[in-house]
Amino acid sequence: MDSSLADKSPVTSDYDGKLVVQRPTPSNTRRYTLLLIFCITQFLYTLTNSALFSAIPFLVRKFGFTKSQSVWIISAYQLTFASFLLMSGKISDIYNPKYTFLTGKFILGVISIGLGFVSDGILFLTLRALSGIAASLTIPSALALLVGLFPEPRHQAVAIAAFGAWGAIGIVLGLITGAFFVEYVSWSWVFWFVSTVIIPTTLISAVLIPSQNKSVVRKSGFTKFRSLDITGISILTVTVILFIFAVTTGSVTGWGSAMTLAPLAISIAMTAVFFYWEALQPIECAAVPSSTWFIPNFSVLFGTALLPYFWWANIFTTYVSLWQDVYQWSAMSSAVHMLPIGITAFVFSFANRVKGLSSMSAKWPILCGALMMMTALVLFAFADGPDKYWSLVLPGFIVGSAGAMLTNISANIAIFRATPPSMAGTVGAIFNCGLQLGSAVGLAAVSSIQASVQNRNGGPSNYEGQSAGFWFMLACISIAALAVLVFYHTNTAQNSVEGTDVCGGSEAHFSDIARGDGSSL
């Protein structure tokens, strides 16, 4: 491959039959510099969230949160991040991924500065939610830019794997960074540190990211705006907020109270309304086109995306709270004991490079990863004292984190290979939405179960609450693994997903080949 060669044909036709002005292919130096910047962006997001795990006990005391309310320290960000990812994917595909990426990054840098000065709990959660919206603009656009910069399947897989690997590095360094700031400086520097890196790299990105291909035939502003599906995104956001509110309230007011049952029932009904609304929308106007779910293995891979962060987030929150609040370990000591999770995740982020595994159907690495996460949860369920760290918790960290990353990387690469490249932004948004929803909803459910059991059995010092949470996680992952075993097809013929409709007066065509089953890593 000679990346220095420019496309000799300045005007070509895209999949919709429109004329597209092609830009020269960037040099290798420019491409890999941009890959590094995208990876740093991913690194900073995971570092911030990972660092906050070390700060949760301190923030709970500072803002007066209850155990159930403490879930929102992480979930406020993840909820808006997940919901607006779908809109962000559409913005990236419809408008321009370069300016989408730059806008989200810059806004996040500014909000991070403000978060460090907050002294009110409600304002803190509000800014966390807004930072989730800003961050959601960057991930689908970064993935879309990566797919465009690395169109060759082999190099594209390496780029996507590196993107995930830097997220794993953020988990490792975030734990130590957060503990250091909380214990020796100030929790505010968790956010100020991020802003000092994000803002300068945003300016560098503005210069290095090449101009994107421009369609000669442009859609009207109203047509583009309608394509964002703001109604659908709003329904989904309110649905998840109500669901998380219901499960976090249940452990406080009781599972039979109106404060729990009413929002739970409404959230379930609104889930049906969301899918019905999406089914009514023309393909180019839907946040999640209904035909997407019929792409071979797409639904199974989306379900798989719920698992990795579901596992990681709950392990982090459970053990950080247990170690600092019950065992009275310092933030730094807790972070050091957590390091095996991040180190293992980083090592296994390159699993797709292993000879033999790279040509294997994604079904088997996903199932293997799920089994590893389940094995770890069984070990955790019996680790009822600080003396069990070396014999049960540490092996569980290594085995479970390896399984979570193996599942994450396998599903991520497979879902891009199962879908048309023209949908890269939307597909990246849907996949990452699954990752974040798994974490946000899973945190709420597991924390609520733990709080309910602890309230009946003597409080957090009684390990029965933590154990109940682990058994619940085991049940959830077992169901997901069974779904993959039954419904994931390893020999799927190429399928064509076609449709023609009108969106805002402009005819919209969706005729792409779902290239194979996406089962090769």
Side-chain angles (χ1 to χ4, degrees):
M1 176 190 69
D2 185 0
S3 61
S4 63
L5 293 177
D7 193 328
K8 306 218 184 264
S9 178
V11 179
T12 59
S13 177
D14 70 359
Y15 78 99
D16 278 338
K18 298 173 184 175
L19 295 180
V20 176
V21 178
Q22 297 285 356
R23 300 295 181 185
T25 303
S27 66
N28 273 335
T29 301
R30 193 174 184 180
R31 292 200 304 168
Y32 285 100
T33 302
L34 285 170
L35 173 61
L36 177 61
I37 289 175
F38 296 148
C39 289
I40 289 174
T41 302
Q42 172 81 329
F43 162 79
L44 290 172
Y45 297 163
T46 56
L47 180 140
T48 303
N49 281 321
S50 179
L52 276 182
F53 285 117
S54 297
I56 284 176
F58 176 83
L59 293 175
V60 166
R61 292 190 294 269
K62 175 179 176 61
F63 295 126
F65 294 141
T66 65
K67 178 172 177 57
S68 294
Q69 292 171 338
S70 68
V71 168
W72 291 100
I73 295 174
I74 302 297
S75 293
Y77 171 93
Q78 292 177 322
L79 172 59
T80 53
F81 183 83
S83 299
F84 282 85
L85 267 175
L86 300 175
M87 183 188 296
S88 302
K90 298 291 286 185
I91 292 174
S92 176
D93 286 342
I94 295 170
Y95 290 90
N96 188 310
K98 173 180 178 176
Y99 297 115
T100 303
F101 177 78
L102 295 175
T103 300
K105 238 185 131 175
F106 182 76
I107 293 174
L108 181 62
V110 173
I111 293 176
S112 296
I113 294 175
L115 273 165
F117 292 102
V118 170
S119 58
D120 177 75
I122 299 299
L123 180 58
F124 176 83
L125 296 181
T126 301
L127 289 179
R128 283 284 290 162
L130 291 175
S131 65
I133 296 174
S136 72
L137 291 171
T138 63
I139 298 300
S141 53
L143 287 169
L145 290 168
L146 275 180
V147 170
L149 288 168
F150 298 92
E152 312 88 349
R154 184 168 64 89
H155 293 90
Q156 188 178 108
V158 172
I160 293 174
F163 193 69
W166 276 72
I169 297 174
I171 294 175
V172 177
L173 297 184
L175 292 168
I176 299 297
T177 301
F180 174 80
F181 285 143
V182 168
E183 200 160 316
Y184 301 109
V185 189
S186 166
W187 66 270
S188 299
W189 273 99
V190 172
F191 299 102
W192 291 342
F193 170 75
V194 170
S195 65
T196 59
V197 179
I198 281 184
I199 294 178
T201 56
T202 301
L203 300 177
I204 297 173
S205 301
V207 175
L208 291 182
I209 297 176
S211 299
Q212 303 303 294
N213 295 339
K214 294 183 178 180
S215 297
V216 175
V217 179
R218 297 177 179 271
K219 295 179 182 178
S220 68
F222 174 75
T223 301
K224 288 184 176 182
F225 180 77
R226 185 183 172 189
S227 298
L228 298 181
D229 191 16
I230 293 177
T231 300
I233 298 300
S234 300
I235 294 172
L236 178 63
T237 303
V238 173
T239 298
V240 180
I241 289 175
L242 288 173
F243 182 83
I244 293 179
F245 177 80
V247 296
T248 54
T249 303
S251 61
V252 179
T253 64
W255 293 101
S257 68
M259 285 287 289
T260 300
L261 294 178
L264 182 62
I266 294 173
S267 67
I268 293 173
M270 290 186 69
T271 301
V273 171
F274 172 74
F275 283 106
Y276 178 72
W277 170 264
E278 294 300 296
L280 293 178
Q281 302 308 300
I283 289 171
E284 285 195 354
C285 298
V288 184
S290 57
S291 54
T292 304
W293 302 105
F294 297 97
I295 295 175
N297 294 323
F298 185 90
S299 298
V300 179
L301 290 169
F302 175 79
T304 302
L306 299 171
L307 302 181
Y309 284 19
F310 168 68
W311 191 91
W312 276 317
N314 278 295
I315 298 306
F316 277 132
T317 53
T318 297
Y319 276 107
V320 165
S321 297
L322 177 68
W323 291 344
Q324 292 189 35
D325 293 339
V326 179
Y327 299 164
Q328 298 300 305
W329 292 3
S330 68
M332 185 60 72
S333 177
S334 298
V336 170
H337 282 80
M338 282 285 185
L339 278 179
I341 293 181
I343 295 172
T344 304
F346 172 70
V347 171
F348 272 79
S349 65
F350 297 98
N352 69 300
R353 306 299 295 163
V354 176
K355 186 176 181 180
L357 190 62
S358 59
S359 59
M360 184 185 299
S361 167
K363 177 177 184 176
W364 309 117
I366 290 173
L367 285 174
C368 179
L371 181 61
M372 294 167 75
M373 287 187 282
M374 292 158 60
T375 301
L377 291 169
V378 173
L379 296 178
F380 296 151
F382 295 101
D384 56 358
D387 58 314
K388 301 292 179 64
Y389 176 81
W390 296 104
S391 60
L392 294 177
V393 177
L394 178 61
F397 281 174
I398 295 173
V399 173
S401 189
M405 181 54 76
L406 184 61
T407 299
N408 184 23
I409 292 296
S410 302
N412 198 355
I413 295 175
I415 204 168
F416 275 103
R417 292 190 175 178
T419 52
S422 59
M423 295 180 63
T426 301
V427 168
I430 294 174
F431 184 83
N432 280 277
C433 177
L435 291 174
Q436 300 299 329
L437 285 178
S439 175
V441 176
L443 268 175
V446 172
S447 297
S448 187
I449 289 171
Q450 290 178 347
S452 296
V453 174
Q454 288 168 356
N455 290 340
R456 297 196 306 266
N457 294 276
S461 60
N462 190 311
Y463 196 74
E464 290 186 21
Q466 289 86 348
S467 182
F470 294 139
W471 289 120
F472 172 76
M473 292 173 64
L474 177 65
C476 292
I477 296 176
S478 299
I479 293 171
L482 182 62
V484 172
L485 182 65
V486 174
F487 298 110
Y488 193 101
H489 302 293
T490 57
N491 295 305
T492 308
Q494 290 188 337
N495 290 270
S496 179
V497 184
E498 299 182 339
T500 302
D501 211 328
V502 175
C503 178
S506 174
E507 187 177 34
H509 299 278
F510 184 82
S511 180
D512 288 302
I513 300 297
R515 298 166 298 150
D517 61 310
S519 59
S520 295
L521 300 183

